[in-house]
Amino acid sequence: MNLSIVDLAPVPDGASATEAYENTVELAQLAEELGYSRFWVAEHHGMADSIASTTPEVLIAHLAANTDEIRVGSGTVLLNHYSPFKVAESFSTLDALAPGRIDLGLGRATGMPAADRALRTERRKRNPDEDHAEKIEEAAAHLYDEFGADHPYSKLSLARSESDVPEIWVLGSSPSSAKIAGELGLRYCFAAFIRPNLAERAFETYHEHFEPTDSDAGLDEPEGMLAVNVACDETDEDAARLRASAEASYKRMQRGVVGSLPSVEEAIDELGGVPEPTPQSIPSGEWPRALSGSPETVGTLLETLTDRVGVDDVIVQNLIADHDDVCRSHELLADAVGLADH
């Protein structure tokens, strides 16, 4: 199993984005040391008091400069906010700075109306899936220089490395995004921490609609990755305590509450107790939104879930307030899947 990390650059309580970015760099360096495959950063807007990962293309440049080999990328760039050409320019520049190490994860989302207006985003489109597919295809054509000679964009050029091009992933949390990725012949990552119960259907849709393309951006065979929320500790009970922060955060989101991540103690108080440990065996058809457990338990859970959707790659998010606990969780998780043995 290949393991990666997607980070939100959470802002510690009472701190600033500066401390959040320092923690993200430290985590990326740890991930590289432990043998993780990729380190992605998210894009969120209007939540700077709690999440500092607002501009992945800027943060990726800093991460690439402070690591040596690990792939770094976006999980995700919200393409509905931007022009495909500008995104392609940014990521081609990143690839020139760190050749062969850049991933371009493309997704879409609307947030709070004020942020969308500030980003000049049109919230309603006649056919949002068609619009998203066209934007992804256009970004790929810019990156891989695949506009025909008669196309008005054929004369546009990008700052490039000598031979590498960013690796493109379509990210989503629904079968519609899976269908887009399949029809374009691109890599697909499903966010199981958003809509876990759609994971199996999304990957079935991806494989059903996958079409190899003549584009250099595309694949001959489907390639998928599962994004999950995981808290790992020495015992199942200790890990369940860590998972409390994620469970409380999800409940806050449902109520529209925005703020820093709750500490374990705050989360347990809000939940009315410590969550039950994640069962070591998850019944078919059930998908928890967040997993927890000892290395042995988490290793078994990840094997079960990846087998269900037919992927070998997992990218992990966690919503743990204490940075030391975050790092320790990822260290134990690396042990759980034997990264040191790869």
Side-chain angles (χ1 to χ4, degrees), residues 6-334:
V6 58
D7 188 59
L8 305 178
V11 180
D13 193 27
S16 70
T18 300
E19 286 85 358
Y21 297 144
E22 289 172 352
N23 287 343
T24 292
V25 170
E26 182 181 328
L27 185 58
Q29 292 170 335
L30 177 64
E32 182 169 68
E33 178 185 331
L34 293 171
Y36 281 76
S37 299
R38 309 169 192 273
F39 191 91
W40 288 358
V41 285
E43 178 180 341
H44 288 274
H45 297 284
M47 303 169 65
D49 289 341
S50 56
I51 294 175
S53 187
T54 61
T55 319
E57 62 271 26
V58 175
L59 193 48
I60 290 165
H62 187 58
L63 292 169
N66 283 277
T67 53
D68 297 315
E69 297 179 350
I70 192 169
R71 296 190 69 92
V72 288
S74 56
T76 177
V77 165
L78 301 177
L79 191 54
N80 54 306
H81 295 324
Y82 314 112
S83 80
F85 179 57
K86 183 58 179 174
V87 171
E89 277 193 318
S90 297
F91 277 78
S92 185
T93 299
L94 288 170
D95 183 73
L97 290 168
R101 296 178 54 204
I102 302 299
D103 294 335
L104 171 55
L106 294 170
R108 56 180 167 172
T110 53
M112 59 182 68
D116 288 348
R117 283 196 297 270
L119 289 161
R120 302 297 190 266
T121 302
E122 182 183 343
R123 291 178 65 88
R124 297 183 181 181
K125 294 189 177 294
R126 183 169 298 179
N127 191 326
D129 287 351
E130 184 178 294
D131 177 74
H132 189 46
E134 288 175 355
K135 283 191 165 187
I136 293 172
E137 196 167 22
E138 184 179 325
H142 283 299
L143 282 169
Y144 285 81
D145 196 18
E146 292 186 333
F147 288 109
D150 295 333
H151 196 283
Y153 297 159
S154 63
K155 302 300 183 184
L156 295 174
S157 60
L158 303 179
R160 298 184 180 277
S161 62
E162 289 186 359
S163 59
D164 292 295
V165 182
E167 194 171 279
I168 298 176
W169 289 78
V170 176
L171 279 61
S173 58
S174 69
S176 63
S177 60
K179 183 173 181 285
I180 290 169
E183 290 178 344
L184 295 177
L186 296 172
R187 297 168 182 84
Y188 179 62
C189 178
F190 178 82
F193 48 77
I194 297 178
R195 294 189 181 96
N197 290 330
L198 292 177
E200 291 178 62
R201 183 148 63 95
F203 279 105
E204 287 171 1
T205 301
Y206 175 54
H207 284 86
E208 178 185 345
H209 289 274
F210 185 85
E211 297 178 9
T213 68
D214 294 333
S215 168
D216 289 340
L219 307 169
D220 293 329
E221 300 288 339
E223 184 177 331
M225 181 158 54
L226 182 66
V228 293
N229 185 294
V230 180
C232 193
D233 210 332
E234 298 288 352
T235 69
D236 288 354
E237 290 72 23
D238 288 341
R241 285 182 60 84
L242 282 185
R243 198 183 87 240
S245 293
E247 301 290 358
S249 294
Y250 292 145
K251 289 187 179 297
R252 287 183 177 186
M253 288 180 213
Q254 291 170 351
R255 301 195 306 269
V257 175
V258 177
S260 59
L261 288 175
S263 68
V264 169
E265 292 73 19
E266 290 171 331
I268 290 171
D269 183 60
E270 289 181 24
L271 296 170
V274 178
E276 290 293 321
T278 305
Q280 295 186 16
S281 177
I282 301 174
S284 178
E286 292 187 14
W287 278 76
R289 193 171 181 184
L291 309 174
S292 64
S294 66
E296 181 180 3
T297 295
V298 168
T300 299
L301 291 170
L302 292 180
E303 289 288 350
T304 297
L305 297 179
T306 53
D307 284 348
R308 286 186 187 178
V309 296
V311 301
D312 296 318
D313 286 79
V314 172
I315 188 164
V316 174
Q317 177 210 72
N318 59 40
L319 297 175
I320 299 172
D322 184 85
H323 180 63
D324 290 338
D325 287 341
V326 171
C327 292
R328 182 60 179 154
S329 178
H330 284 299
E331 288 173 348
L332 292 171
L333 189 54

